[in-house]
mmCIF file with all atom_site columns, all heavy atoms in Angstrom:
data_model
loop_
_atom_site.group_PDB
_atom_site.id
_atom_site.type_symbol
_atom_site.label_atom_id
_atom_site.label_alt_id
_atom_site.label_comp_id
_atom_site.label_asym_id
_atom_site.label_entity_id
_atom_site.label_seq_id
_atom_site.pdbx_PDB_ins_code
_atom_site.Cartn_x
_atom_site.Cartn_y
_atom_site.Cartn_z
_atom_site.occupancy
_atom_site.B_iso_or_equiv
_atom_site.pdbx_formal_charge
_atom_site.auth_seq_id
_atom_site.auth_comp_id
_atom_site.auth_asym_id
_atom_site.auth_atom_id
_atom_site.pdbx_PDB_model_num
ATOM   1  N  N   . ASP A 1 99  ? 45.044 222.719 70.528 1.00 0.00 ? 99  ASP A N   1
ATOM   2  C  CA  . ASP A 1 99  ? 45.996 223.021 71.593 1.00 0.00 ? 99  ASP A CA  1
ATOM   3  C  C   . ASP A 1 99  ? 45.490 224.235 72.371 1.00 0.00 ? 99  ASP A C   1
ATOM   4  O  O   . ASP A 1 99  ? 45.401 225.328 71.808 1.00 0.00 ? 99  ASP A O   1
ATOM   5  C  CB  . ASP A 1 99  ? 47.374 223.314 70.968 1.00 0.00 ? 99  ASP A CB  1
ATOM   6  C  CG  . ASP A 1 99  ? 48.488 223.409 71.999 1.00 0.00 ? 99  ASP A CG  1
ATOM   7  O  OD1 . ASP A 1 99  ? 48.245 223.089 73.176 1.00 0.00 ? 99  ASP A OD1 1
ATOM   8  O  OD2 . ASP A 1 99  ? 49.616 223.779 71.609 1.00 0.00 ? 99  ASP A OD2 1
ATOM   9  N  N   . HIS A 1 159 ? 53.559 228.889 68.937 1.00 0.00 ? 159 HIS A N   1
ATOM   10 C  CA  . HIS A 1 159 ? 54.135 228.113 67.835 1.00 0.00 ? 159 HIS A CA  1
ATOM   11 C  C   . HIS A 1 159 ? 53.149 227.937 66.691 1.00 0.00 ? 159 HIS A C   1
ATOM   12 O  O   . HIS A 1 159 ? 51.933 228.017 66.906 1.00 0.00 ? 159 HIS A O   1
ATOM   13 C  CB  . HIS A 1 159 ? 54.554 226.733 68.347 1.00 0.00 ? 159 HIS A CB  1
ATOM   14 C  CG  . HIS A 1 159 ? 53.483 226.049 69.150 1.00 0.00 ? 159 HIS A CG  1
ATOM   15 N  ND1 . HIS A 1 159 ? 52.564 225.207 68.583 1.00 0.00 ? 159 HIS A ND1 1
ATOM   16 C  CD2 . HIS A 1 159 ? 53.155 226.131 70.461 1.00 0.00 ? 159 HIS A CD2 1
ATOM   17 C  CE1 . HIS A 1 159 ? 51.731 224.786 69.517 1.00 0.00 ? 159 HIS A CE1 1
ATOM   18 N  NE2 . HIS A 1 159 ? 52.054 225.340 70.679 1.00 0.00 ? 159 HIS A NE2 1
ATOM   19 N  N   . HIS A 1 167 ? 54.201 221.456 66.874 1.00 0.00 ? 167 HIS A N   1
ATOM   20 C  CA  . HIS A 1 167 ? 55.160 222.563 67.040 1.00 0.00 ? 167 HIS A CA  1
ATOM   21 C  C   . HIS A 1 167 ? 55.960 222.690 65.765 1.00 0.00 ? 167 HIS A C   1
ATOM   22 O  O   . HIS A 1 167 ? 57.003 222.069 65.623 1.00 0.00 ? 167 HIS A O   1
ATOM   23 C  CB  . HIS A 1 167 ? 56.077 222.315 68.237 1.00 0.00 ? 167 HIS A CB  1
ATOM   24 C  CG  . HIS A 1 167 ? 55.333 222.249 69.528 1.00 0.00 ? 167 HIS A CG  1
ATOM   25 N  ND1 . HIS A 1 167 ? 55.031 221.068 70.151 1.00 0.00 ? 167 HIS A ND1 1
ATOM   26 C  CD2 . HIS A 1 167 ? 54.789 223.214 70.295 1.00 0.00 ? 167 HIS A CD2 1
ATOM   27 C  CE1 . HIS A 1 167 ? 54.351 221.324 71.268 1.00 0.00 ? 167 HIS A CE1 1
ATOM   28 N  NE2 . HIS A 1 167 ? 54.189 222.615 71.370 1.00 0.00 ? 167 HIS A NE2 1
ATOM   29 N  N   . ALA A 1 190 ? 49.396 228.793 67.729 1.00 0.00 ? 190 ALA A N   1
ATOM   30 C  CA  . ALA A 1 190 ? 48.962 228.806 69.130 1.00 0.00 ? 190 ALA A CA  1
ATOM   31 C  C   . ALA A 1 190 ? 49.784 229.873 69.831 1.00 0.00 ? 190 ALA A C   1
ATOM   32 O  O   . ALA A 1 190 ? 50.995 229.937 69.648 1.00 0.00 ? 190 ALA A O   1
ATOM   33 C  CB  . ALA A 1 190 ? 49.195 227.440 69.764 1.00 0.00 ? 190 ALA A CB  1
ATOM   34 N  N   . GLU A 1 192 ? 50.792 231.277 73.568 1.00 0.00 ? 192 GLU A N   1
ATOM   35 C  CA  . GLU A 1 192 ? 50.720 230.796 74.949 1.00 0.00 ? 192 GLU A CA  1
ATOM   36 C  C   . GLU A 1 192 ? 51.662 231.523 75.892 1.00 0.00 ? 192 GLU A C   1
ATOM   37 O  O   . GLU A 1 192 ? 52.754 231.062 76.152 1.00 0.00 ? 192 GLU A O   1
ATOM   38 C  CB  . GLU A 1 192 ? 50.910 229.283 75.033 1.00 0.00 ? 192 GLU A CB  1
ATOM   39 C  CG  . GLU A 1 192 ? 52.095 228.685 74.337 1.00 0.00 ? 192 GLU A CG  1
ATOM   40 C  CD  . GLU A 1 192 ? 52.102 227.158 74.468 1.00 0.00 ? 192 GLU A CD  1
ATOM   41 O  OE1 . GLU A 1 192 ? 51.922 226.638 75.568 1.00 0.00 ? 192 GLU A OE1 1
ATOM   42 O  OE2 . GLU A 1 192 ? 52.294 226.490 73.438 1.00 0.00 ? 192 GLU A OE2 1
ATOM   43 N  N   . GLU A 1 288 ? 46.482 229.653 76.927 1.00 0.00 ? 288 GLU A N   1
ATOM   44 C  CA  . GLU A 1 288 ? 46.784 229.326 75.536 1.00 0.00 ? 288 GLU A CA  1
ATOM   45 C  C   . GLU A 1 288 ? 45.524 229.181 74.703 1.00 0.00 ? 288 GLU A C   1
ATOM   46 O  O   . GLU A 1 288 ? 44.534 228.596 75.144 1.00 0.00 ? 288 GLU A O   1
ATOM   47 C  CB  . GLU A 1 288 ? 47.568 228.005 75.460 1.00 0.00 ? 288 GLU A CB  1
ATOM   48 C  CG  . GLU A 1 288 ? 47.877 227.592 74.016 1.00 0.00 ? 288 GLU A CG  1
ATOM   49 C  CD  . GLU A 1 288 ? 48.756 226.356 73.907 1.00 0.00 ? 288 GLU A CD  1
ATOM   50 O  OE1 . GLU A 1 288 ? 48.710 225.501 74.821 1.00 0.00 ? 288 GLU A OE1 1
ATOM   51 O  OE2 . GLU A 1 288 ? 49.470 226.229 72.902 1.00 0.00 ? 288 GLU A OE2 1
HETATM 52 MN MN1 . LIG B 2 .   ? 51.088 224.940 72.522 1.00 0.00 ? 402 LIG B MN1 1
#
Side-chain angles (χ1 to χ4, degrees):
D99 190 9
H159 49 92
H167 297 102
E192 51 183 312
E288 178 175 29

